[in-house]
Amino acid sequence: MANNFGGRGVLRVVGPAALNAAIKAQDEAKATAAAAQDTDATTLSNLAAHIRTQFDIMKTHRNGSSGWSERLLAALRAFNRQYDNSKLAQIQEFGGSEVYAGMIAMKCRGASSLLRDVYLSPDRPWGIQPPADPDIPEEIIGHIGQLVGIESETNAQAGIPPDLNAIRDRTLHLMQAAREAAKKRAADQACIAEDKIDELLTEGKFYTAIAEFLVDLPLFPFACVKGPVVRIVPTVVWDKGKAVVQQKPRLFWNRVSPFDVYWTPGAADIEDAAVIERTRVTRADLNDLLDLPGYNQDAIRAVLDEYGRGGINDDWDTTDAERATQESRENPLLNRSGMIACLEFHGNVQGRMLLEYGLDAKQIPDPLRDYMVQAWLIGRHVIKVQFSPSPRKRHPYFITSFEKVPGTPVGNGLPDLLGGVEEVANATLRALVNNLSIASGPQVVINTDRLAPDEDGEQMYPWKRWRVTSDPMASNTQPPISFFQPQSNSQELLATYQKFSDIADELSAIPKYLNGNASGGAGRTASGLAMLMGNASKILQTVAANIDRDIFDQALSQLFDMIMLTDTSGMLTGEESIKVMGVAVAIQRETERSRQMEFLQVTANPIDNAIMGPGGRAKVLRKVSESIGMDGEAIVPTDEEVKANAQQQQAAALAQQGAEAQGNQQGSTVTSDMGPRTAIAGSAGHAG
């Protein structure tokens, strides 16, 4: 039977027990959903909060009592020859000259040039050192035993009794030859590996990063290089004349601005510190990360959704506005470029946080232990977490200073060493310019009461006629117009400025003649100037030692580990070692070149040539030509060509000697045959 309720709703009636059960089930479902949502928020916030807390601690220490941020800004202002706002306001209030001496910028350029000559010259400041005593392969040792056994059996069959001493000596001789061959093979393999590693460094822009690092080193309290970092880059491969684009991994190095790297405040060595680098990415960069494995796709999409079409700079620092002005970049507070701030964290994190984030439990056997990881945080979203690929559990940041301070990674740059001298020099130079300006002409005193009403006392020009009124007071003898010349103190001020310039030379160990300025005393001659420049290079050996120890040795060791972990071609055996020679290059370059030229001159005599032979002389010529920047292999013939030429010359000499001997023999035969006839003819002539 159908009931018609006129389109009105029907109220369902249930019992109290059923109603309570439904309400309880609904409450449980809401609680479960809320718990799941809270768990997700906690999972993200635990790791993100840890990174955020570390960054706040590092930033507070940096901008607080340490004063690093202000030192960095002061260095940038000195390099750009600009006064800070307070000093500039005082100068403008006085109305004087705003000239800036620029001593620090000049010294920084000189120091960078010296260091570039050491580390970016054709001579590599590093090398691969083969093992001193490489192992002899087991098969070679077996072959030596077989050879000695065969020789003993052959002697026994020939009736020669076995001699144990002879067998031992023969074995030792063969083992020594095998050891020398192993050393030669290890040295050749080290040379090949060195060329391949240099190719990796060149492709990964290592030397570009070093060039930028050498500009930062004398300028800032510390300078930083990062690498190797693996990036997937498009590579063009040509297949039968067609370009094929392949995505291949490659190692890269880059210079990191001192403004963007932070570390644990209490660390005495950067190797033991947790490091956070502040980077800037675009929406295009985030879109590219969506296709790469290992990234949290949901977190990246959340970042793209929250930040909309624009960018955001959550983690800006107090130095960013003035830094952007000094670097001629956009103020990050405006951020019309749509840049998004990202914190790259390198440090230890408790295993419990990593498990909550979702990493594999097999890689975290103990949740209470700390594990070295790399994490990327944007806003409140961790877009990627991975374990550190370094077997040494070390972050890829390498930091050193122009002048190191014990107990801290932060040292002193040239602005720290020359700040006071630069300030006095600037004050002296401003006073000099002001004095020259004032003393350039006479000062005029005009008694306006004596001027005629239509006379303009503000204009002065040659042969001007002044109209004045009579003196109302007969006793007043003051002239209507008077002139006086201010005293010029330019000589004293210039001498003061020159003295402080000399003090800057002493404090910085960067003499002015390194920048091409004329030098008196020993620098008036070419040899004296070379000696002074050599002394300046010796003074910078301490800086080169810092770079060798903290940058090249550490960075190349990190690369050595990466190659050993990933390379399957057998480029390295693991027994080699990194040899950094920056200090040696700085010390020995000029000395070695002069000694090589002297050696060439001294050995240019028949006795030494007979001892060295053509092959030895050719090796010396190759070495000397390479030391002066020429291609020795292309100029000097190879050992095989030298040997062939020597054999040809010897054969030609022997042929010439044979021809001369044969000619002498024929001449003596003719003389003996004609001797009697000549004697008879002579007698006949005498008789006639």
Side-chain angles (χ1 to χ4, degrees):
M1 179 178 179
N3 297 323
N4 186 6
F5 296 98
R8 293 174 295 174
V10 178
L11 179 64
R12 182 182 174 214
V13 179
V14 297
L19 179 61
N20 292 334
I23 294 175
K24 182 178 180 181
Q26 186 177 4
D27 292 340
E28 290 178 353
K30 290 181 179 180
T32 302
Q37 185 176 1
D38 293 340
T39 301
D40 293 340
T42 303
T43 300
L44 290 177
S45 63
N46 279 340
L47 185 56
H50 174 72
I51 299 175
R52 180 70 58 190
T53 302
Q54 292 295 316
F55 180 68
D56 291 339
I57 293 173
M58 298 173 186
K59 184 169 65 172
T60 301
H61 173 73
R62 177 174 182 156
N63 298 334
S65 59
S66 65
W68 299 349
S69 298
E70 181 56 35
R71 290 171 63 187
L72 293 173
L73 288 176
L76 265 184
R77 287 193 293 265
F79 193 73
N80 292 330
R81 302 173 184 83
Q82 295 182 5
Y83 294 102
D84 59 56
N85 293 331
S86 60
K87 174 64 72 175
L88 185 60
Q90 295 175 3
I91 296 173
Q92 292 175 347
E93 182 180 2
F94 174 74
S97 172
E98 300 178 9
V99 64
Y100 198 99
M103 283 186 180
I104 292 177
M106 179 183 65
K107 299 300 182 186
C108 288
R109 289 197 304 269
S112 297
S113 299
L114 280 177
L115 295 173
R116 285 178 63 92
D117 190 42
V118 174
Y119 292 99
L120 298 177
S121 65
D123 300 330
R124 291 176 189 164
W126 61 273
I128 300 296
Q129 191 168 5
D133 188 14
D135 296 334
I136 302 176
E138 294 294 335
E139 60 271 14
I140 300 298
I141 298 177
H143 291 331
I144 291 175
Q146 294 177 3
L147 179 60
V148 173
I150 293 173
E151 290 178 351
S152 299
E153 292 179 0
T154 303
N155 292 334
Q157 293 176 0
I160 302 175
D163 187 354
L164 297 180
N165 293 330
I167 294 175
R168 184 187 64 239
D169 293 342
R170 176 61 173 166
T171 303
L172 292 176
H173 176 72
L174 293 176
M175 288 294 294
Q176 182 65 27
R179 182 172 287 104
E180 295 297 331
K183 289 182 179 180
K184 181 66 169 56
R185 184 171 58 253
D188 294 341
Q189 186 174 359
C191 291
I192 296 174
E194 185 176 322
D195 293 337
K196 292 183 178 180
I197 292 177
D198 186 71
E199 183 179 355
L200 290 177
L201 294 175
T202 303
E203 291 180 351
K205 299 183 178 181
F206 174 78
Y207 296 110
T208 302
I210 290 296
E212 298 174 354
F213 161 84
L214 293 179
V215 176
D216 287 345
L217 183 62
L219 178 61
F220 295 112
F222 61 92
C224 180
V225 172
K226 177 185 178 183
V229 177
V230 181
R231 299 177 190 168
I232 306 297
V233 295
T235 304
V236 178
V237 179
W238 293 93
D239 184 13
K240 297 180 180 180
K242 295 183 179 180
V244 179
V245 179
Q246 299 178 356
Q247 301 293 332
K248 292 185 177 181
R250 187 182 296 175
L251 300 177
F252 283 93
W253 290 261
N254 63 284
R255 164 255 184 188
V256 179
S257 173
F259 286 94
D260 292 329
V261 60
Y262 303 76
W263 61 80
T264 307
D269 191 345
I270 191 64
E271 187 175 354
D272 303 326
V275 178
I276 293 180
E277 180 190 357
R278 188 182 53 165
T279 61
R280 303 170 187 83
V281 298
T282 62
R283 290 181 58 85
D285 297 331
L286 294 176
N287 281 278
D288 293 338
L289 297 180
L290 289 172
D291 301 326
L292 296 179
Y295 285 87
N296 190 329
Q297 310 294 330
D298 296 335
I300 295 176
R301 293 183 181 278
V303 170
L304 293 173
D305 179 53
E306 291 181 10
Y307 289 168
R309 294 185 178 277
I312 191 169
N313 196 347
D314 292 326
D315 304 301
W316 80 289
D317 205 346
T318 56
T319 60
D320 287 350
E322 185 175 354
R323 174 197 172 188
T325 302
Q326 295 294 334
E327 294 180 350
S328 301
R329 292 188 296 102
E330 180 190 30
N331 192 325
L333 296 180
L334 302 176
N335 199 16
R336 298 188 184 93
S337 302
M339 306 300 294
I340 301 174
C342 175
L343 298 181
E344 183 177 342
F345 172 80
H346 297 258
N348 292 319
V349 176
Q350 193 177 33
R352 180 184 301 170
M353 295 184 186
L354 301 177
L355 290 174
E356 291 174 352
Y357 179 77
L359 293 185
D360 190 0
K362 296 179 180 179
Q363 298 177 318
I364 308 174
D366 189 352
L368 299 181
R369 285 181 177 271
D370 290 347
Y371 297 89
M372 184 72 178
V373 299
Q374 301 175 4
W376 287 261
L377 174 68
I378 299 179
R380 62 186 182 90
H381 302 283
V382 179
I383 63 173
K384 184 180 180 181
V385 178
Q386 68 179 21
F387 290 97
S388 175
S390 172
R392 305 173 192 265
K393 303 303 178 184
R394 192 199 188 286
H395 53 74
Y397 297 92
F398 309 98
I399 290 175
T400 193
S401 302
F402 187 85
E403 181 186 70
K404 294 182 69 68
V405 176
T408 174
V410 179
N412 293 319
L414 289 178
D416 302 310
L417 301 177
L418 303 177
V421 177
E422 176 87 294
E423 185 175 357
V424 176
N426 286 336
T428 305
L429 190 59
R430 292 198 306 270
L432 175 62
V433 174
N434 293 335
N435 181 254
L436 289 174
S437 176
I438 292 175
S440 62
Q443 299 289 314
V444 183
V445 179
I446 300 176
N447 188 355
T448 57
D449 295 335
R450 299 286 308 277
L451 292 180
D454 58 346
E455 185 64 49
D456 186 4
E458 300 297 330
Q459 293 184 355
M460 288 189 64
Y461 49 85
W463 300 96
K464 180 177 180 179
R465 298 177 180 178
W466 297 87
R467 290 181 292 276
V468 299
T469 61
S470 61
D471 189 358
M473 301 293 295
S475 61
N476 188 359
T477 60
Q478 181 181 1
I481 301 170
S482 60
F483 299 85
F484 69 92
Q485 179 65 37
Q487 181 180 356
S488 174
N489 301 320
S490 59
Q491 295 299 324
E492 293 81 357
L493 292 172
L494 191 60
T496 303
Y497 180 82
Q498 184 62 44
K499 183 60 179 177
F500 277 93
S501 177
D502 297 338
I503 294 175
D505 291 349
E506 297 174 1
L507 292 178
S508 64
I510 310 294
K512 60 176 68 69
Y513 50 76
L514 291 177
N515 296 306
N517 295 335
S519 175
R524 290 178 297 179
T525 62
S527 59
L529 184 59
M531 180 184 66
L532 292 177
M533 295 185 70
N535 293 334
S537 298
K538 291 179 181 178
I539 295 173
L540 284 178
Q541 290 171 20
T542 303
V543 183
N546 296 339
I547 299 174
D548 288 353
R549 180 179 59 254
D550 299 333
I551 304 298
F552 273 81
D553 191 16
Q554 299 288 336
L556 294 178
S557 297
Q558 195 100 325
L559 175 61
F560 188 93
D561 296 338
M562 294 284 288
I563 293 175
M564 291 298 300
L565 290 173
T566 59
D567 183 62
T568 58
S569 63
M571 180 192 310
L572 297 172
T573 63
E575 298 180 357
E576 300 86 356
S577 59
I578 301 295
K579 178 177 60 176
V580 184
M581 304 169 291
V583 176
V585 171
I587 296 174
Q588 300 177 3
R589 172 174 296 163
E590 296 299 330
T591 304
E592 285 185 353
R593 288 178 180 175
S594 60
R595 289 180 177 177
Q596 287 173 357
M597 298 302 295
E598 292 175 359
F599 181 77
L600 276 179
Q601 296 175 1
V602 170
T603 57
N605 58 79
I607 299 176
D608 292 335
N609 286 334
I611 296 174
M612 289 190 300
R617 189 69 177 179
K619 291 180 180 179
V620 175
L621 291 174
R622 291 193 200 99
K623 184 67 177 178
V624 173
S625 59
E626 290 174 359
S627 66
I628 61 177
M630 303 176 68
D631 190 356
E633 298 293 337
I635 297 174
V636 184
T638 62
D639 294 339
E640 291 76 8
E641 293 175 349
V642 171
K643 187 176 180 180
N645 291 335
Q647 292 177 353
Q648 292 178 0
Q649 293 177 2
Q650 185 177 4
L654 292 176
Q656 184 177 0
Q657 291 178 2
E660 291 178 354
Q662 185 177 1
N664 293 335
Q665 183 177 3
Q666 292 177 355
S668 61
T669 302
V670 171
T671 302
S672 60
D673 291 341
M674 296 180 63
R677 300 177 184 176
T678 305
I680 295 172
S683 300
H686 181 70

